[in-house]
Amino acid sequence: MAPRRGAGDTVPVEPELPDTEYALILQRAAADAGVDMADETIADLAQGKYTRLSGSGLRKLGKIVDILQRDEIDANAEDEQAQKLGHWLAAVNPESVRVYRTATTDATAFEPVTLTDGAERFYLGSFLGNDENLAALSLPPAVEAELAEKRTACAKLGIENGGQLERFTREHFEYSTFDPSGPIGEQPVEIQWLARNEPEAYEVLKTNAISGNTCVLRHLKTSPDPVIRGLKNIATYTQYTYYTNWLPGLIKHDTDPTILPTDRKGLETAHTLLLEELDDQLQKGTIDATTHELLKEQISSRFESDVDFDAALDSLRLIRELSLGIEIHASSPDTPEHTETERRAIAELNDTLQMRLGNQYAYNKLLFDVAHGDAEGMIKILRLIPAFIAAAWGLEHVPIKEVAQAAKIMGAGDDLLMEGGTIAAQLAKGVTWETIKRRFLPIGTTVLAALGMGYSVDTVAETSWHLAGGLFALSTIAVSGVTQLLNGRSYAQSYVALAHEGKIAGHKGILTTEDQETLHGKIAEISQNDEQADLIAEISPVIKGLLDDKELSPRKLRKTLALIEQMVRDNQIEHIGNAGNIPTHERYHEAYRELLATNPAYKPIIGALMVMPFIGAAAGPWLLTSPAYYVPSGAGESVSGYVGAKVNQRSFKNRWRKWVEQQP
């Protein structure tokens, strides 16, 4: 299929399709390539416009084109395999064709397929097929049903053809062969556990090995991007960015998280506002009709994906089942098929392994992969340290004393960048500016205090280098320390909101689902009716806290409180008094537990913040002798967090092995 080009363009843009359809293809390709590209840019590309692309934009486009070309190759290979299958079926009796079992595994949908008519075999491989090419084949119902089941399972993970399936298994799983007939101490730790606790299951493995089969242990290596996106969507849009209150129940006990109708309503409101904003831009003439339609399609497609929590839960359940398992493969083409009894025995073995070890492994791995992104953000900040060192050096040599003193504050540069990154991340998650503004006062006050301490270092050094070193260290960590405290407070408030909505085990919740719908309906009415009487009323602090977490403006909050009080008087909702109050120690304990579980850098950062003033005081005479030392020493907590995250990453297998060894 020829690429589409504009006049004078040298960058290939893929096939001739309707602009809206092509925009969605580009959007999916950008996600597959891990490229962050604005909707407006994708809309331009869908129309063959790339004159506004910068160097980085062209590099991103190159990655997208690579994905499009790869998908085209995969689709062609799928069609070719369908043609080969058709020729083979024409040469045999289709009614005698069945699947030839060359492996027994709990991941049947992801295993290559071999067909046989009893005399000859046809290696179908990872072929999935589609409605078009399967309709032209005369497959027996049993084979067609198995392929349909295979396609359904793969679709949950965003896999559309055999090429994608092969890459998926190669990129996301690691396979290790083992010989169960050998010494137990040489087996993988999971197999050692089986030998200790399930000797009958272990004997099944030994029997297969003796029969000439190959035993393979499968581990999830990295969680697929669609699974992580779904996981984050549920946490962000329904659980106030918490994971530990619902993910263990889903993975270990198959208990769905509590998702309320009001959780979707927030996304629906945001989606509607975005579409209305696009309509305004169209009316003002800032965008043309084609671009308007393309942007609407992209926004709506992303919205449908974000609110499809059922699909996200299905993908999480599927990856849980695939995360750890034992497969028995034929060691040669002549190895006979497994009998139904043998397959059932392997299935029971995998069920035991899944319940006792696999669910925990899946939970650990999913949480680990979610948290791993934090270290990548830190390394981007650490890459700027040379620029801060150069700035500090330049300021130090300015002949004006007041300007030269500013070199000391460059040590806090990484903290300011981190706070900026925190704000950007929260805005990306849909947090409103009303909530963000609450950080400005404490952060702004701390920045001023840090500036004052930084400018005072030289004066204090005239009295004591050690005191000056401690003061300098304190000035460089002040913003970071307050940021961590604000993060803790934010998570504590989120915990209260979760408890109020019945999303925390042991807390019933202060409002039923119907009550919450009524409440949010009234809030929507207030947002449309500014003439509502401004009645101030005392009401349960629990409900007030819930409304605070719903990010209402103070004016609308007062009106809402008054409305709720009136609803209570009219018996429209139940007055619950203080029954839902959450003790302060509980909310902060759970908040920091969540932070520690989902951010491996958090503990080393806190540890560094606690010791850096003492290190600064001890090293003062050396620390303050050169601008080259200001920034690296001031970034100590960032470096500690990054190193801690990397150590956590590399020690995952060792921690898992120790956990399995401790299991009875």
Side-chain angles (χ1 to χ4, degrees), residues 277-297:
E277 183 179 341
L278 283 180
D279 292 341
D280 290 342
Q281 292 179 26
L282 178 63
Q283 291 179 359
K284 294 176 182 177
T286 55
I287 59 174
D288 57 42
T290 302
T291 302
H292 172 263
E293 187 64 26
L294 292 173
L295 292 174
K296 282 183 66 174
E297 285 292 331

Side-chain angles (χ1 to χ4, degrees), residues 172 220-228 319 362 365-367 369-370:
H172 296 293
L220 178 66
K221 183 168 58 175
T222 57
S223 303
D225 289 340
V227 174
I228 293 297
I319 210 66
K365 193 61 181 173
L366 287 167
L367 207 58
D369 288 341
V370 165

Side-chain angles (χ1 to χ4, degrees), residues 336-350:
E337 289 183 272
H338 287 134
T339 65
E340 184 64 31
T341 301
E342 289 172 329
R343 287 199 293 269
R344 191 181 305 114
I346 297 298
E348 292 174 355
L349 183 156
N350 271 309

Side-chain angles (χ1 to χ4, degrees), residues 1 4 15-29 42 46 68 293-294 297-298 301:
M1 189 174 294
R4 181 169 62 185
E16 290 286 356
L17 292 168
D19 287 336
T20 52
E21 183 181 348
Y22 188 46
L24 296 181
I25 290 175
L26 287 172
Q27 188 182 48
R28 287 192 293 270
I42 290 179
L68 293 173
E293 187 64 26
L294 292 173
E297 285 292 331
Q298 291 181 73
S301 174

